[in-house]
Amino acid sequence: MKTVSISEIGKIVTGSTPPTSNAEYWGNKYLFVKPTDIVKGKRTTCKTETMLSKAGREKCKNIIVPQGATCVVCIGSIGEKLTYAHTNLVTNQQINSIIPYEEYDSEYVYYLIKNNMHKVKAANQGSSSGRENVSKSNFGKITVEVEPDIECQKKIANVLVTYDLLIENIEKQLDLLEESTNRIYKEWFINMHFPQYEDIRFDNGIPIGWKEGVLGDIALFKRGKTITKAQVKEGNVPVVAGGLEPAYYHSEANTTAPVITVSGSGANAGFARLYNVDVFASDCSFLDSEATQYIYYIYCFVKDNKATLDALQKGSAQPHVYAKDINSLKTIIPSDDILKRFCLLVSPYFDKIKYLQRQVELLVEARDRLLPKLMNGEIEV
């Protein structure tokens, strides 16, 4: 093994954000990666909240991150998020990217940095605003132990990539299953092509037996109990706050699976997620299996109404979507018979989702056990 600094592994590029006031820089052609786009534990970032136009990409031509680079969050919550550039992209200023020199395999570099994220965390200099921060120069000075032989690097990376490719394939299956349930929901409740719809009379566009009401008439969302990191007792229960991923893990749950969470603020406001395990709902609204027998219908409903939920944000300092406003959302409530039949139809899809999510968890555990052993030479390839 050989000790080197990150700056010796590759060229370091710090991202930048084109002026948001100039609309011509923004479009839907090129990925623009921010820390919030990166999912912790996921190797690549294929979707971003905002994208650049051709003009925006030209504006950032000197900081384009090429395919094969490793992008590491160095401002904000550091030591947690990184992503492998599967294509050319641009990042914002919170991210430093490593473009490997020819003596280093690009995928090996990704796993090398992933295994040394604790050193990125330890390099935190702080900032006047109180945010964690590792400057470009200090990031480059971080030292790591590397395998000098590039052929051995490739063999190590191939083992770990195999796990990540399996995970990515399963996640594609999960996306397809979610899309299938969404299509069924839209066909039944948007297009009104539910079973025997041809035989049902409509009154002012509403099927007989259905009624106007609010979401709270069939499911009451509750406000999660805010818990800080200092209050968390280490365990394996996900703490769900405002982000797309668990904030941390606690020893106790305050919900009963399956549970729907709806993010309350920030870029993910109104985002709904279905958990098939008990969670601790913190900075979000939640609905669990004890609150309704129509959990799968409600999940499809809130997913389909993400923009409406987002628009419910209230408050000036930190706008928030509140549970009481979700419950007050006006809707057409289907008959009990249709709701039961819908949930019965989509249940096998969600059972499959639960099974595949567990497979992902097992693969992640196996990969993360192998990672340090392969990197320090404990396991030969």
Side-chain angles (χ1 to χ4, degrees):
M1 301 297 284
K2 178 182 176 183
T3 302
V4 299
S5 65
I6 289 179
S7 62
E8 294 177 274
I9 294 173
K11 178 183 176 181
I12 300 173
V13 174
T14 302
S16 180
T17 300
T20 55
S21 57
N22 193 333
E24 73 170 4
Y25 291 148
W26 304 93
N28 58 4
K29 288 184 68 70
Y30 304 102
L31 294 177
F32 179 69
V33 179
K34 306 187 298 295
T36 51
D37 296 313
I38 301 173
V39 177
K40 186 178 177 181
K42 194 169 184 178
R43 187 172 69 106
T44 57
T45 303
C46 299
K47 296 179 182 178
T48 55
E49 181 187 12
T50 52
M51 299 183 72
L52 298 177
S53 64
K54 186 176 180 179
R57 189 174 187 272
E58 179 63 21
K59 175 72 174 176
C60 299
K61 63 182 179 181
N62 294 327
I63 55 168
I64 290 175
V65 176
Q67 179 180 354
T70 294
C71 313
V72 186
V73 176
C74 290
I75 298 177
S77 184
I78 63 176
E80 297 180 1
K81 287 186 173 184
L82 77 166
T83 192
Y84 181 77
H86 68 290
T87 186
N88 293 357
L89 50 82
V90 175
T91 76
N92 78 350
Q93 59 277 9
Q94 294 174 264
I95 297 172
N96 285 320
S97 299
I98 307 164
I99 305 171
Y101 295 134
E102 61 181 13
E103 61 266 35
Y104 290 98
D105 176 72
S106 63
E107 290 176 327
Y108 173 83
V109 171
Y110 167 78
Y111 291 109
L112 173 71
I113 301 303
K114 181 180 177 69
N115 192 49
N116 284 278
M117 288 295 278
H118 62 285
K119 291 189 176 181
V120 178
K121 180 76 170 178
N124 173 36
Q125 305 154 264
S127 67
S128 58
S129 64
R131 303 178 77 190
E132 293 183 310
N133 174 51
V134 178
S135 67
K136 178 180 178 180
S137 60
N138 277 13
F139 179 69
K141 292 175 185 176
I142 296 171
T143 58
V144 292
E145 297 290 317
V146 301
E147 166 56 57
D149 180 58
I150 192 168
E151 292 306 316
C152 189
Q153 291 175 17
K154 290 178 179 178
K155 289 179 181 178
I156 291 170
N158 284 340
V159 172
L160 296 165
V161 166
T162 299
Y163 280 88
D164 274 323
L165 289 178
L166 284 171
I167 292 168
E168 289 167 12
N169 284 334
I170 292 176
E171 287 175 339
K172 289 177 183 177
Q173 294 179 55
L174 288 167
D175 288 341
L176 289 173
L177 287 166
E178 285 262 357
E179 288 175 14
S180 296
T181 61
N182 289 339
R183 281 199 300 269
I184 295 171
Y185 170 84
K186 288 179 183 294
E187 185 67 6
W188 281 40
F189 304 109
I190 304 299
N191 299 332
M192 291 295 181
H193 291 167
F194 50 85
Q196 286 86 51
Y197 74 93
E198 304 97 330
D199 304 323
I200 299 295
R201 289 190 301 109
F202 284 69
D203 182 14
N204 291 325
I206 301 175
I208 299 298
W210 297 29
K211 61 182 180 181
E212 294 182 338
V214 295
L215 190 60
D217 291 335
I218 54 172
L220 280 173
F221 277 83
K222 297 179 181 178
R223 172 73 178 148
K225 180 181 179 181
T226 301
I227 184 172
T228 65
K229 190 171 184 178
Q231 295 171 317
V232 167
K233 297 179 181 178
E234 189 174 347
N236 58 4
V237 176
V239 175
V240 182
L244 302 186
E245 295 299 310
Y248 18 81
Y249 290 82
H250 192 39
S251 60
E252 300 175 0
N254 61 356
T255 65
T256 302
V259 56
I260 301 167
T261 62
V262 177
S263 299
S265 60
N268 302 316
F271 178 86
R273 180 164 180 173
L274 180 70
Y275 286 89
N276 285 301
V277 295
D278 296 348
V279 303
F280 189 98
S282 180
D283 188 23
C284 64
S285 299
F286 75 92
L287 178 80
D288 64 15
S289 58
E290 292 189 346
T292 179
Q293 60 179 316
Y294 306 129
I295 193 85
Y296 297 140
Y297 168 79
I298 301 300
Y299 175 62
C300 292
F301 175 87
V302 292
K303 285 268 291 184
D304 191 57
N305 285 275
K306 199 272 183 187
T308 302
L309 295 172
D310 190 0
L312 293 176
Q313 292 186 79
K314 292 181 179 179
S316 54
Q318 187 175 4
H320 203 94
V321 178
Y322 294 96
K324 62 182 179 64
D325 293 320
I326 299 175
N327 294 330
S328 298
L329 197 62
K330 291 183 179 180
T331 184
I332 303 300
I333 301 173
S335 65
D336 285 344
D337 175 62
I338 290 297
L339 287 173
K340 288 175 182 176
R341 292 177 71 174
F342 174 77
C343 290
L344 184 64
L345 177 62
V346 299
S347 286
Y349 292 86
F350 286 104
D351 288 342
K352 182 68 172 177
I353 288 171
K354 180 179 180 180
Y355 169 77
L356 291 176
Q357 286 175 337
R358 181 55 182 156
Q359 299 312 301
V360 169
E361 290 172 5
L362 293 173
L363 285 168
V364 168
E365 289 172 6
R367 179 202 64 195
D368 290 349
R369 284 196 302 268
L370 277 175
L371 176 61
K373 294 179 180 180
L374 286 167
M375 286 297 166
N376 65 23
E378 187 178 336
I379 296 178
E380 294 185 4
V381 292

